[in-house]
Amino acid sequence: ANILLGGRAEYLVLGNDAPTGVSMSMFLGGTFGQIQVKPPALIAGQPTPYLISGIIGAHAGLNARFRLHRNFGLVLAPEFDLQLPNTLIHIDATLSTEVAF
């Protein structure tokens, strides 16, 4: 599980080219590579196993942006990830700042 490479396409659903305000976009993506997860130990004091998942992955989600300024905004990005053939499902919601130039 040394590297995970991916790409995504994003489609603007709500908003326009205005430098400030609200916009929303959806994205779909794919990855190639493996990831390594470490589940909690079943018994205290025992080493935790590492599980390897993937060689391919599919990702979908949306980005909700609120631009306070042309170069600065806030982003909420819920995302659903699926790794195959060793199945791993991950749901994530990221709240971040965005700086653009």
Side-chain angles (χ1 to χ4, degrees):
N2 293 324
I3 193 165
L4 182 70
L5 300 172
R8 63 175 48 158
E10 189 173 358
Y11 179 74
L12 185 63
V13 177
L14 174 69
N16 53 30
D17 293 338
T20 60
V22 176
S23 67
M24 186 175 294
S25 60
M26 298 184 308
F27 61 84
L28 293 173
T31 56
F32 181 79
Q34 293 181 317
I35 62 170
Q36 208 173 41
V37 294
K38 184 177 179 183
L42 297 176
I43 300 172
Q46 281 193 332
T48 304
Y50 285 92
L51 305 172
I52 296 176
S53 181
I55 201 76
I56 61 169
H59 311 275
L62 63 93
N63 291 315
R65 291 182 177 90
F66 180 66
R67 288 288 182 132
L68 302 166
H69 182 270
R70 183 174 73 87
N71 303 104
F72 182 79
L74 302 174
V75 181
L76 174 62
E79 181 175 342
F80 175 80
D81 305 321
L82 175 65
Q83 292 288 117
L84 297 168
N86 300 330
T87 305
L88 178 67
I89 296 172
H90 178 251
I91 298 172
D92 192 18
T94 304
L95 180 62
S96 62
T97 57
E98 182 175 59
V99 177
F101 296 96

